[in-house]
Amino acid sequence: MVALLLLAAAALVGVVPRAVAIAYFVASGVSLVLYGWDKAAAGRGAWRTPEKTLHLFDLLGGWPGALIAQQQFRHKTAKTSFQAMFWVTVVVNVAVAGWLLWADGVPAPKDATASACPAGPGRLFQATNSSTAWNANRHPIMLRRSA
């Protein structure tokens, strides 16, 4: 729940695109429903949702809803192998989302202008092949090169 609230707040202030926040909310809703259906099916002895399907939606951004569902329905919380893979999907999702969102530079506050930043509107700095980038006040920022 905290992750979704932080994501919503980040989208409201313009740090994260609103489409990303909406995608996480939708994927979380789908995951929550899938976990609920799977728990109900387990109680009835009916066809179960495959764990691969649950993990796929977790990986695609539904992990906040899955975490809520696990606690609310007391479902898949005691199975160690499932929990291990669940947390792997969370780490991979957060790492990939972070890389995609920040690879082109750190988003600036909404009031940043094109004239204030050589990287363009909405960016504090733009990483380049050189070792220097620029912040919104046109001050150089020295970057460390990775091997």
Side-chain angles (χ1 to χ4, degrees):
M1 183 66 116
V2 173
L4 290 174
L5 291 175
L6 289 174
L7 188 60
L12 287 174
V13 298
V15 174
V16 173
R18 288 186 180 169
V20 171
I22 291 168
Y24 269 87
F25 274 90
V26 169
S28 290
V30 170
S31 282
L32 193 133
V33 168
L34 285 175
Y35 276 76
W37 281 342
D38 190 48
K39 177 67 175 189
R44 293 189 317 265
W47 179 82
R48 303 282 305 274
T49 304
E51 287 185 0
K52 288 180 182 180
T53 303
L54 297 174
H55 288 313
L56 176 63
F57 279 94
D58 299 341
L59 184 64
L60 295 175
W63 64 266
L67 198 55
I68 293 167
Q70 288 176 20
Q71 298 307 311
Q72 184 175 352
F73 304 134
R74 304 276 190 258
H75 190 51
K76 299 287 188 184
T77 56
K79 189 172 181 183
T80 307
S81 61
F82 184 88
Q83 283 297 306
M85 184 53 81
F86 170 75
W87 287 106
V88 167
T89 64
V90 171
V91 169
V92 170
N93 175 265
V94 170
V96 170
W99 179 78
L100 289 173
L101 288 171
W102 301 97
D104 289 333
V106 178
K110 284 184 177 182
D111 59 352
T113 63
S115 63
C117 180
R123 298 288 175 199
L124 290 174
F125 69 86
Q126 177 71 39
T128 63
N129 289 336
S130 72
S131 62
T132 306
W134 303 87
N135 69 8
N137 296 323
R138 294 185 180 254
H139 297 285
I141 300 171
M142 298 307 290
L143 300 175
R144 245 189 276 162
R145 287 190 176 175
S146 59

